[in-house]
Amino acid sequence: MADGPHAMRESRAAGLWDRTYPLHPFLFAAAAVFALWVRNLNHASPADIAPSLLGSLAFALVLYLAVSALRRRFDATGAVIASIWVAGVLFYADLFGRLNGLLDGGYSMLRSLPVALLVLAVVTVAALRLRRITRFSHSVLNGIALVLFITPAWQAASYEWRHGEARAAYDGDRAYAEMQQHLPANAEASRPPDIYHFVFDRYASEEVLARHYGLDNSAIVKFLEEHGFYVAHASNSNYQKTGHSLASTFYMDYLDVLADDGRATGANWHPIYKMLDDHRVARFLKARGYDFIQFGSWWVGTFHNPLADENRPHGFSEFGMLYLRRTMLKPLFHALPDTPLTMRLDWDNAQCQRVARQVEEIRAIGPREEPVYVFAHFLVPHGPYPFAADGRCLGQKESAERGSRQGFIDQVAYANRIIEEIVTTLQGEDREPPIILIQADEGPFPERDGRVPWQQASTEELRIKTGILNAYYFPNGDYRLLRPDITPVNSYRVLFNSYFGGDFPLLADRIFAFPNDGTLYEFHDVTRKVRAPAHMAGGAPGEPPSGSDELFAPPPF
């Protein structure tokens, strides 16, 4: 009789749990994230994938617990059902992508959703009916899930073993210490001015817009000059890609520190991203008491800065966005009414949910007790092209019918609208005027043969890719250190010399090109080629080369 209650408890426990372990739902959830990660190891770090990984594991846990609660039992059958839906939801694009193509489901994949749900429901019913083979299915799924997880995990570990040390090519502590020799020992007692730095991605120079897009952009230049800006009419980006350009701007020097280090090689972007996460400008300004607010884009390079007091990217990260687009969440969001949340996985990378909101938040910052440093990276006029000239958001079909060339032109107009709104607000009578930098990081892509290394590109192609908007507003009006062809690498050298007592020597303004995305640290000086007299590019100054309307349209995103 003494064994009676114990036996009953064991019997009840056996009824609740069949002593199998539900590993495969969680392995499938992790494998879905790792499968995308291994295709992006040159860009994504463990920190980048962590939110997606945690979210997927949480989804698997909730699903398994829900199935178990409905069946009032933790067993192999419940685990199998959970895995059916974990795999169906998280591997949606892989499992149903071909079906979506047959159904002509397009970007939204909405047409394939009912069929996919029906398939998953049928497989679920089969799992419930065929309980005799449940344990076998459970074991098989454990094996499959383990392989799907271990394979990319091993690839990621191998990549880290071979390339992880490349991040050490940039040392933030050393970089900051090296700049101290050009700064005064003691900070000034008075409150320094606020600093606003805006980067409009791929905003071309006035000359490039006129020569290759037939666009007279003189109105915005006149607006800036009338509002006290110094516009560097002959400016170029220092490199042909956003990451390199911004890294050199904030490093206040060229990227020789990476080129000379054998650990930074090939297509590994992590040294660049480390420079953007821990740069000299932010370190210096924070040491001077500035609050640092970053309005980043979805791009990993500006989405989040660990040094910032506030990060305001408004949307999913690059990895998170790409991952969620491969899940069932994509067609589900398109099936639901349009809201700022559901549209964040849309074709425009949530630009319509991000840009206008960021602009309004920047305009609303206002005076603070502590000085503020605001950096904003707008992917305008960068593609895709969801904006009309007045900032109205277009649908995918309407944007495609307009065409990428007109889309780029319209988004230049929208960028001008943003510039006018922000400058007017920041220079309002009710506030102390701040320092304002308005720049581009690169120009638009010319239509060209991608097999030709960039250092061998034609003069005109390089001019299109590196000719940029570059304007400065210093409240004290002292622009003696600026010059028409100044490049962004010197921007903060001038600013720190003018406002913080620095004695940074100005660098020679040089333009570098690296061959392609597989050779990120092989830099070739193309300054003389880009800044040669205009007739060497095939036409006299102000004359577009023959056929320019067809040859130099920006490519789709």
Side-chain angles (χ1 to χ4, degrees), residues 9-18 71-75:
R9 286 196 297 271
E10 284 192 344
S11 176
R12 191 177 298 113
L16 289 174
W17 179 43
D18 66 351
R71 300 183 66 252
R72 298 181 180 181
R73 178 174 169 80
F74 294 88
D75 61 4

Side-chain angles (χ1 to χ4, degrees), residues 4 71-72 78 154 169 189 237 254 265 288 299 309 393 486-487:
R71 300 183 66 252
R72 298 181 180 181
W154 173 258
S237 63
Y254 296 103
T265 59
R288 291 299 190 274
W299 175 58
D309 298 288
C393 285
I486 193 169
T487 59

Side-chain angles (χ1 to χ4, degrees), residues 15 29 69 79 104 131 137 225 265 294 367 386 393 468 482 512 523 536:
D104 195 22
R131 295 184 183 180
S137 301
E225 291 178 337
T265 59
Q294 180 154 307
C393 285
I468 59 169
L482 298 175
F512 292 92
F523 301 134
M536 294 185 66

Side-chain angles (χ1 to χ4, degrees), residues 172-249:
D173 292 332
R174 184 175 63 187
Y176 182 56
E178 289 172 348
M179 68 181 293
Q180 297 303 309
Q181 61 181 310
H182 299 292
L183 294 167
N186 299 315
E188 295 184 7
S190 60
R191 183 188 187 279
D194 294 339
I195 302 172
Y196 287 78
H197 184 181
F198 305 106
V199 169
F200 290 86
D201 208 299
R202 296 188 185 174
Y203 194 124
S205 67
E206 184 180 5
E207 179 188 7
V208 168
L209 291 174
R211 286 167 60 86
H212 300 293
Y213 293 91
L215 177 62
D216 180 359
N217 204 40
S218 58
I220 192 64
V221 175
K222 182 179 179 182
F223 169 85
L224 290 172
E225 291 178 337
E226 288 177 346
H227 282 72
F229 279 77
Y230 179 94
V231 179
H233 292 272
S235 186
N236 296 89
S237 63
N238 298 109
Y239 299 87
Q240 86 264 24
K241 280 276 190 172
T242 300
H244 297 69
S245 293
L246 293 184
S248 62
T249 298

